[in-house]
Coordinates of all heavy atoms in Angstrom, one line a residue:
H1242 N 45.6 -51.1 -92.1 CA 44.8 -51.5 -91.0 C 44.9 -53.0 -90.8 O 45.0 -53.5 -89.7 CB 43.3 -51.0 -91.1 CG 43.2 -49.6 -90.7 ND1 42.9 -49.2 -89.4 CD2 43.2 -48.5 -91.4 CE1 42.8 -47.9 -89.3 NE2 43.0 -47.4 -90.5
K1243 N 44.7 -53.8 -91.9 CA 44.8 -55.2 -91.8 C 46.1 -55.7 -91.3 O 46.2 -56.6 -90.5 CB 44.6 -55.8 -93.2 CG 44.6 -57.3 -93.3 CD 44.3 -57.8 -94.7 CE 44.4 -59.3 -94.7 NZ 44.1 -59.8 -96.1
N1244 N 47.2 -55.0 -91.6 CA 48.6 -55.4 -91.2 C 49.0 -54.7 -90.0 O 50.2 -54.8 -89.6 CB 49.5 -55.1 -92.4 CG 49.2 -55.9 -93.6 OD1 48.8 -57.1 -93.5 ND2 49.4 -55.3 -94.8
K1245 N 48.1 -54.0 -89.3 CA 48.4 -53.3 -88.0 C 49.5 -52.3 -88.1 O 50.4 -52.1 -87.2 CB 48.8 -54.4 -86.9 CG 47.8 -55.5 -86.8 CD 46.5 -55.0 -86.2 CE 45.4 -56.0 -86.1 NZ 45.6 -57.3 -85.9
T1246 N 49.5 -51.5 -89.2 CA 50.4 -50.4 -89.4 C 49.7 -49.1 -89.5 O 50.3 -48.1 -90.0 CB 51.3 -50.7 -90.6 OG1 50.5 -50.8 -91.8 CG2 52.2 -51.9 -90.4
R1247 N 48.5 -49.0 -89.1 CA 47.7 -47.8 -89.3 C 48.3 -46.6 -88.5 O 48.1 -45.4 -88.8 CB 46.2 -48.0 -88.9 CG 46.0 -48.5 -87.5 CD 45.7 -47.4 -86.5 NE 45.6 -47.9 -85.1 CZ 45.4 -47.2 -84.1 NH1 45.2 -45.9 -84.3 NH2 45.4 -47.7 -82.9
H1248 N 49.1 -46.9 -87.4 CA 49.7 -45.9 -86.6 C 50.8 -45.1 -87.5 O 51.2 -44.0 -87.0 CB 50.4 -46.5 -85.4 CG 51.5 -47.5 -85.7 ND1 51.2 -48.8 -86.0 CD2 52.8 -47.4 -85.8 CE1 52.3 -49.4 -86.3 NE2 53.3 -48.6 -86.1
L1249 N 51.1 -45.6 -88.6 CA 52.1 -44.8 -89.5 C 51.4 -43.7 -90.3 O 52.0 -42.9 -90.9 CB 52.8 -45.8 -90.5 CG 53.6 -46.9 -89.8 CD1 54.2 -47.8 -90.9 CD2 54.7 -46.3 -89.0
I1250 N 50.0 -43.7 -90.2 CA 49.3 -42.6 -90.9 C 49.1 -41.5 -90.0 O 48.3 -41.4 -89.1 CB 47.9 -43.2 -91.4 CG1 48.0 -44.4 -92.2 CG2 47.2 -42.1 -92.2 CD1 46.7 -45.1 -92.5
E1251 N 50.0 -40.5 -90.1 CA 50.0 -39.3 -89.3 C 50.3 -38.0 -90.1 O 51.3 -38.0 -90.8 CB 51.0 -39.5 -88.1 CG 50.9 -38.3 -87.1 CD 51.9 -38.5 -86.0 OE1 52.8 -39.3 -86.1 OE2 51.8 -37.7 -85.0
P1252 N 49.4 -37.0 -90.0 CA 48.2 -37.0 -89.2 C 47.1 -37.9 -89.8 O 47.0 -38.1 -91.0 CB 47.8 -35.5 -89.2 CG 48.3 -35.0 -90.5 CD 49.6 -35.8 -90.7
G1253 N 46.3 -38.4 -89.0 CA 45.2 -39.3 -89.4 C 45.0 -40.4 -88.4 O 44.7 -40.2 -87.2
C1254 N 45.1 -41.7 -88.9 CA 44.7 -42.8 -88.1 C 45.5 -43.0 -86.8 O 45.0 -43.6 -85.9 CB 44.8 -44.1 -89.0 SG 43.7 -44.1 -90.4
R1255 N 46.7 -42.5 -86.8 CA 47.5 -42.7 -85.6 C 46.9 -42.2 -84.3 O 46.9 -42.8 -83.3 CB 48.9 -42.1 -85.7 CG 49.8 -42.3 -84.5 CD 51.0 -41.3 -84.4 NE 51.8 -41.5 -83.2 CZ 51.5 -41.1 -82.0 NH1 50.5 -40.3 -81.8 NH2 52.4 -41.3 -81.0
N1256 N 46.3 -41.0 -84.5 CA 45.7 -40.3 -83.3 C 44.2 -40.5 -83.2 O 43.5 -39.8 -82.5 CB 46.0 -38.8 -83.4 CG 47.5 -38.6 -83.3 OD1 48.2 -39.1 -82.5 ND2 48.0 -37.8 -84.2
C1257 N 43.6 -41.5 -83.9 CA 42.2 -41.8 -83.8 C 41.8 -42.2 -82.4 O 42.5 -43.1 -81.8 CB 41.8 -42.8 -84.8 SG 40.1 -43.3 -84.8
L1258 N 40.8 -41.6 -81.9 CA 40.3 -41.9 -80.5 C 39.6 -43.3 -80.4 O 39.3 -43.7 -79.3 CB 39.5 -40.8 -80.0 CG 40.2 -39.5 -79.8 CD1 39.3 -38.4 -79.3 CD2 41.4 -39.6 -78.8
H1259 N 39.3 -43.9 -81.6 CA 38.7 -45.2 -81.5 C 39.8 -46.2 -81.2 O 39.6 -47.3 -80.6 CB 38.1 -45.6 -82.9 CG 36.8 -44.8 -83.1 ND1 35.7 -44.9 -82.4 CD2 36.5 -44.0 -84.1 CE1 34.7 -44.2 -82.8 NE2 35.2 -43.6 -83.9
G1260 N 41.0 -45.9 -81.6 CA 42.2 -46.8 -81.5 C 43.0 -46.7 -80.2 O 44.2 -47.0 -80.2
V1261 N 42.4 -46.1 -79.2 CA 43.2 -46.0 -77.9 C 42.8 -47.1 -77.0 O 41.8 -47.8 -77.2 CB 42.9 -44.6 -77.3 CG1 43.3 -43.5 -78.1 CG2 41.4 -44.5 -76.9
K1262 N 43.6 -47.3 -76.0 CA 43.3 -48.3 -75.0 C 42.1 -47.8 -74.2 O 42.1 -46.7 -73.6 CB 44.5 -48.5 -74.1 CG 45.7 -49.1 -74.8 CD 46.9 -49.2 -73.9 CE 48.1 -49.7 -74.7 NZ 49.4 -49.8 -73.9
K1263 N 41.0 -48.6 -74.2 CA 39.8 -48.2 -73.6 C 39.7 -48.4 -72.1 O 40.2 -49.3 -71.5 CB 38.6 -49.0 -74.3 CG 38.5 -48.7 -75.8 CD 38.1 -47.3 -76.0 CE 37.9 -47.0 -77.5 NZ 37.6 -45.6 -77.7
K1264 N 39.0 -47.4 -71.4 CA 38.8 -47.5 -70.0 C 37.3 -47.8 -69.7 O 36.9 -47.8 -68.5 CB 39.2 -46.2 -69.4 CG 40.7 -45.9 -69.5 CD 41.1 -44.6 -68.9 CE 42.6 -44.3 -69.1 NZ 43.0 -43.0 -68.5
G1265 N 36.5 -47.9 -70.7 CA 35.1 -48.2 -70.5 C 34.2 -46.9 -70.6 O 34.6 -45.8 -70.4
V1266 N 33.0 -47.2 -71.0 CA 32.1 -46.1 -71.3 C 31.8 -45.2 -70.1 O 31.6 -44.0 -70.2 CB 30.7 -46.6 -71.9 CG1 30.0 -47.5 -70.9 CG2 29.9 -45.5 -72.5
S1267 N 31.8 -45.8 -68.9 CA 31.5 -45.1 -67.7 C 32.7 -44.3 -67.1 O 32.6 -43.7 -66.0 CB 30.9 -46.0 -66.6 OG 31.8 -47.0 -66.3
N1268 N 33.8 -44.4 -67.8 CA 35.0 -43.7 -67.3 C 34.8 -42.2 -67.5 O 34.3 -41.7 -68.5 CB 36.2 -44.1 -68.1 CG 37.5 -43.2 -67.7 OD1 37.9 -43.3 -66.6 ND2 37.9 -42.5 -68.7
I1269 N 35.1 -41.4 -66.4 CA 35.1 -40.0 -66.5 C 36.6 -39.5 -66.4 O 37.3 -39.7 -65.4 CB 34.3 -39.3 -65.3 CG1 32.9 -39.9 -65.3 CG2 34.3 -37.8 -65.4 CD1 32.1 -39.4 -64.2
P1270 N 37.1 -38.9 -67.5 CA 38.5 -38.5 -67.5 C 38.9 -37.6 -66.3 O 38.0 -36.8 -65.9 CB 38.6 -37.7 -68.9 CG 37.5 -38.2 -69.7 CD 36.4 -38.5 -68.8
S1271 N 40.1 -37.7 -65.9 CA 40.5 -37.0 -64.7 C 40.5 -35.5 -64.9 O 40.3 -34.7 -63.9 CB 41.9 -37.4 -64.3 OG 42.8 -37.2 -65.4
D1272 N 40.6 -35.0 -66.1 CA 40.6 -33.5 -66.3 C 39.2 -33.0 -66.9 O 39.2 -31.9 -67.4 CB 41.7 -33.1 -67.2 CG 41.8 -33.8 -68.5 OD1 41.1 -34.8 -68.7 OD2 42.6 -33.3 -69.4
W1273 N 38.2 -33.8 -66.7 CA 36.8 -33.4 -67.0 C 36.2 -32.8 -65.7 O 36.1 -33.4 -64.7 CB 36.0 -34.5 -67.5 CG 34.6 -34.1 -67.8 CD1 33.5 -34.2 -66.9 CD2 34.0 -33.6 -69.0 NE1 32.3 -33.7 -67.5 CE2 32.7 -33.3 -68.8 CE3 34.6 -33.2 -70.2 CZ2 31.9 -32.8 -69.8 CZ3 33.8 -32.7 -71.2 CH2 32.4 -32.5 -71.0
D1274 N 35.8 -31.5 -65.8 CA 35.2 -30.8 -64.7 C 33.7 -31.2 -64.6 O 32.9 -30.7 -65.4 CB 35.4 -29.3 -64.9 CG 34.9 -28.5 -63.7 OD1 34.1 -29.0 -62.9 OD2 35.2 -27.3 -63.6
V1275 N 33.3 -32.0 -63.6 CA 32.0 -32.5 -63.5 C 31.0 -31.5 -63.0 O 29.8 -31.7 -63.1 CB 31.9 -33.8 -62.7 CG1 32.6 -35.0 -63.3 CG2 32.5 -33.5 -61.3
E1276 N 31.5 -30.4 -62.4 CA 30.6 -29.4 -61.9 C 30.2 -28.5 -63.0 O 29.0 -28.1 -63.1 CB 31.4 -28.6 -60.8 CG 30.5 -27.4 -60.3 CD 31.2 -26.6 -59.2 OE1 32.3 -27.0 -58.8 OE2 30.6 -25.6 -58.7
N1277 N 31.1 -28.1 -63.9 CA 30.8 -27.2 -65.0 C 30.5 -27.9 -66.3 O 30.2 -27.3 -67.3 CB 31.9 -26.2 -65.2 CG 32.1 -25.3 -64.0 OD1 31.1 -24.7 -63.5 ND2 33.3 -25.2 -63.4
M1278 N 30.7 -29.2 -66.4 CA 30.5 -30.0 -67.6 C 31.3 -29.5 -68.7 O 30.8 -29.2 -69.8 CB 29.0 -30.0 -67.9 CG 28.1 -30.9 -67.1 SD 28.5 -32.7 -67.4 CE 28.8 -33.2 -65.6
E1279 N 32.6 -29.5 -68.5 CA 33.6 -29.1 -69.5 C 35.0 -29.6 -69.1 O 35.2 -30.0 -68.0 CB 33.6 -27.6 -69.7 CG 34.0 -26.8 -68.4 CD 34.0 -25.3 -68.6 OE1 33.4 -24.8 -69.6 OE2 34.5 -24.6 -67.7
W1280 N 35.9 -29.5 -70.1 CA 37.3 -29.8 -69.8 C 37.9 -28.7 -69.0 O 37.5 -27.6 -69.0 CB 38.1 -29.9 -71.1 CG 37.6 -31.0 -72.0 CD1 36.9 -31.0 -73.2 CD2 37.9 -32.4 -71.8 NE1 36.7 -32.2 -73.7 CE2 37.3 -33.1 -72.9 CE3 38.6 -33.1 -70.8 CZ2 37.4 -34.5 -73.0 CZ3 38.6 -34.5 -70.9 CH2 38.0 -35.2 -72.0
N1281 N 38.8 -29.1 -68.2 CA 39.5 -28.1 -67.3 C 40.2 -27.0 -68.1 O 40.3 -25.9 -67.6 CB 40.5 -28.8 -66.4 CG 39.9 -29.7 -65.3 OD1 38.7 -29.4 -65.0 ND2 40.6 -30.6 -64.8
Y1282 N 40.6 -27.3 -69.3 CA 41.1 -26.3 -70.2 C 40.8 -26.7 -71.6 O 40.5 -27.9 -71.9 CB 42.6 -26.2 -70.1 CG 43.4 -27.3 -70.7 CD1 43.9 -27.2 -72.1 CD2 43.6 -28.5 -70.1 CE1 44.5 -28.2 -72.7 CE2 44.3 -29.5 -70.7 CZ 44.8 -29.4 -72.0 OH 45.4 -30.5 -72.6

């Protein structure tokens, strides 16, 4: 993590959702169904 190579840990740290490019807390994903409060699939 210190050396910025955590993406080599797969499965594990590479796919961590903390380490994605952030869109902000108020972002609603495009495939989130706001009527039924669930993912489209």
Side-chain angles (χ1 to χ4, degrees):
H1242 278 271
K1243 181 179 179 179
N1244 297 323
K1245 307 293 176 29
T1246 56
R1247 57 98 187 177
H1248 59 278
L1249 300 177
I1250 306 172
E1251 186 181 10
C1254 299
R1255 181 197 181 276
N1256 297 312
C1257 179
L1258 295 178
H1259 291 297
V1261 298
K1262 296 176 182 177
K1263 296 296 182 179
K1264 298 179 180 179
V1266 66
S1267 60
N1268 173 65
I1269 303 177
S1271 59
D1272 53 349
W1273 177 267
D1274 185 343
V1275 293
E1276 180 178 355
N1277 296 307
M1278 283 293 129
E1279 63 182 10
W1280 295 107
N1281 289 338
Y1282 75 93

